[in-house]
Amino acid sequence: LRDFFTYITKYSNSTIAKIYGIVNHTFKIAVRRNILRFNFLDDQIEFSIPFSDIKDRKVSALTIEEQQQFVKAMKETSCRYKYQFLISLFTGMRMGEINALDIDDIDFNNKLIHIRRTITRGLNERAMIGSYTKTINGTRDIIMDRHVESILKDYLSSSYYHENDLHLLFCNSRKQCISTDTTNMMFKYICEQYNIGKGSKLHQHMLRHTFATRCIEAGMKPKTLQMLLGHSNIGITMNLYVHTTEEEKKKEMDLVAEALMAM
């Protein structure tokens, strides 16, 4: 197992996370069937998820101005995916997690969104609903604030929502699951159409990065953000998903200067 984890470091971190999740899921089944006495991956020190040797592609957050432009665009556009984009921006959920939501995952009574699976690809490369989340810690509950609740209720009362055999919250016009590639293409188109940032060069994952960055700027504790994003390692949260602006750097340095002058 150690040799295998060393071997897969040649792949990207996203691919490694999927492989690790499959191995973990397989071991859990083996334990339930009494094939193994315990799941080796429960030992997070000895068998923690390996990191890729490949440098992660840099994905930045939207600036506050770009974020405001994007929210304004969502109010104006007739794009059917605008609700998914807004949920990603205001919850930090991965698009694959949003597209895989079951209608029963939306708990208005307890104000929770239950995340328990993601969109993946089948052997034919077509989008399908996975049986688990991207990572072990991906299975989680997101608190539904009033803003997110309003977005969800607006969507459910709109003409875009269709009941479907898959019981999905979001589906396409053929009542099938929506691939993340499909939503990403539309995200790029909207950003280009409304002159947001670098237009078509942007990626929908920026919405998740933007959420994380705004949370830290608002003073959220990194550990809380880690749980919201579903990361197993707080280093991933801080190093990949939190982007400090020049204004924030200046504010922090001003605080340091004040503290030093007071001594």
Side-chain angles (χ1 to χ4, degrees):
L1 189 58
R2 292 192 195 95
D3 289 342
F4 176 67
F5 282 170
T6 300
Y7 169 76
I8 64 175
T9 56
K10 67 179 184 178
Y11 299 114
S12 67
N13 280 319
S14 61
T15 300
I16 291 172
K18 291 174 184 175
I19 295 172
Y20 189 87
I22 291 170
V23 173
N24 184 49
H25 185 65
T26 303
F27 282 177
K28 285 182 178 179
I29 293 173
V31 170
R32 286 202 301 269
R33 296 182 181 179
N34 294 317
I35 297 170
L36 293 176
R37 285 186 298 164
F38 52 88
N39 181 356
F40 299 105
L41 270 60
D42 285 341
D43 186 345
Q44 287 292 299
I45 297 176
E46 190 73 20
F47 296 106
S48 60
I49 186 168
F51 289 99
S52 173
D53 293 332
I54 303 171
K55 189 174 181 179
D56 281 315
R57 184 174 57 187
K58 187 72 173 178
V59 179
S60 59
L62 296 172
T63 65
I64 293 176
E65 182 181 359
E66 289 169 343
Q67 178 185 324
Q68 291 171 341
Q69 283 181 277
F70 184 77
V71 172
K72 184 174 183 292
M74 292 301 97
K75 293 178 180 178
E76 297 176 0
T77 184
S78 58
C79 171
R80 68 179 297 119
Y81 306 127
K82 61 183 178 181
Y83 300 98
Q84 286 115 296
F85 294 143
L86 289 172
I87 291 170
S88 181
L89 177 62
F90 293 120
T91 67
M93 289 175 63
R94 301 176 178 93
M95 188 54 66
E97 296 170 339
I98 295 170
N99 289 344
L101 285 172
D102 187 289
I103 189 66
D104 290 333
D105 292 330
I106 307 304
D107 186 350
F108 286 115
N109 291 329
N110 296 303
K111 310 297 181 187
L112 292 173
I113 300 175
H114 304 295
I115 304 173
R116 52 192 177 86
R117 57 189 185 175
T118 189
I119 295 294
T120 186
R121 291 181 185 275
L123 295 176
N124 58 2
E125 288 299 303
R126 294 185 64 179
M128 61 177 288
I129 305 165
S131 56
Y132 44 81
T133 52
K134 182 178 179 181
T135 63
I136 296 172
N137 291 67
T139 303
R140 62 200 189 280
D141 288 340
I142 297 291
I143 296 174
M144 186 193 305
D145 62 26
R146 284 179 293 179
H147 193 58
V148 174
E149 181 180 8
S150 176
I151 293 169
L152 287 166
K153 286 184 175 178
D154 283 348
Y155 166 70
L156 289 171
S157 62
S158 74
S159 59
Y160 296 113
Y161 172 66
H162 300 288
E163 292 186 4
N164 55 89
D165 293 338
L166 296 174
H167 219 227
L168 288 168
L169 176 64
F170 298 104
C171 66
N172 60 26
S173 57
R174 298 185 300 277
K175 299 186 178 182
Q176 300 169 335
C177 64
I178 302 168
S179 73
T180 54
D181 288 341
T182 298
T183 52
N184 190 46
M185 283 191 293
M186 185 53 68
F187 175 82
K188 288 173 177 287
Y189 172 76
I190 289 173
C191 290
E192 186 172 38
Q193 185 181 34
Y194 287 88
N195 297 313
I196 300 170
K198 295 181 179 179
S200 61
K201 293 183 179 180
L202 302 186
H203 193 283
Q204 65 188 0
H205 208 63
M206 292 182 75
L207 299 173
R208 180 168 158 87
H209 282 251
T210 302
F211 170 80
T213 301
R214 296 292 102 84
C215 284
I216 290 296
E217 289 173 353
M220 180 179 287
K221 293 179 180 178
K223 193 66 179 177
T224 302
L225 180 58
Q226 177 193 350
M227 290 186 288
L228 286 176
L229 295 178
H231 289 154
S232 58
N233 189 319
I234 198 167
I236 298 174
T237 309
M238 300 308 296
N239 295 331
L240 297 181
Y241 284 83
V242 178
H243 308 275
T244 305
T245 63
E246 290 302 316
E247 288 184 10
E248 287 299 313
K249 290 178 185 176
K250 186 178 183 303
K251 287 180 184 177
E252 295 295 333
M253 290 306 296
D254 287 344
L255 291 173
V256 172
E258 288 178 14
L260 290 172
M261 291 296 290
M263 292 181 178

